[in-house]
Amino acid sequence: MELINALGRRKSAVARVYVNQGKGNITINSKPIEEYFQEEILRFIVRQPLEVTGTLSQFDIKVNLDGGGIKGQAEALRLAIARALCKIDSEAYRHILKENGFLTRDARVVERKKPGRPGARRRFQFSKR
């Protein structure tokens, strides 16, 4: 199997994934996953596509993560891994991943701040007199 790459985005986080045959090692920005994502729930989010397809110990994954917060990065990585698995074997994995919602890009981003206001929709306090 040749090297497969995929891209995942969430909010302002971007994950570039390189998948190869291996033993199940996940390396993020040259660090093991346990060191990069210290919370168990974030590691669970990242591994979800691998668990539902039953490929947790078949592939080595190297990741470049950039931008956003830690949760957005984890969700961007989940999308990138799901897309990479689809490229590897679309027939076997696509239906399972689509059914679980891992191939859908979450397009929600922060609304921009508008001029003359303290935030996107917030107004300054109204004073009658």
Side-chain angles (χ1 to χ4, degrees), residues 32-88:
I33 188 171
E34 289 78 19
E35 196 177 315
Y36 194 86
F37 291 121
Q38 292 173 352
E39 291 184 36
E40 182 59 40
I41 190 73
L42 298 175
R43 291 194 295 265
F44 172 75
I45 287 170
V46 169
R47 290 186 178 125
Q48 274 181 319
L50 298 168
E51 286 176 4
V52 296
T53 55
T55 56
L56 198 56
S57 60
Q58 290 180 16
F59 303 111
D60 281 345
I61 301 172
K62 185 179 174 293
V63 184
N64 291 332
L65 262 175
D66 191 40
I70 202 85
K71 177 92 164 95
Q73 286 184 347
E75 292 178 1
L77 183 50
R78 175 174 65 187
L79 176 62
I81 290 171
R83 285 179 172 174
L85 288 173
C86 267
K87 280 186 179 178
I88 290 167

Side-chain angles (χ1 to χ4, degrees), residues 48-49 51-53 78 82 93-104:
Q48 274 181 319
E51 286 176 4
V52 296
T53 55
R78 175 174 65 187
Y93 303 137
R94 183 165 174 78
H95 178 70
I96 300 163
L97 292 168
K98 190 118 176 116
E99 204 172 68
N100 287 290
F102 298 140
L103 292 176
T104 307

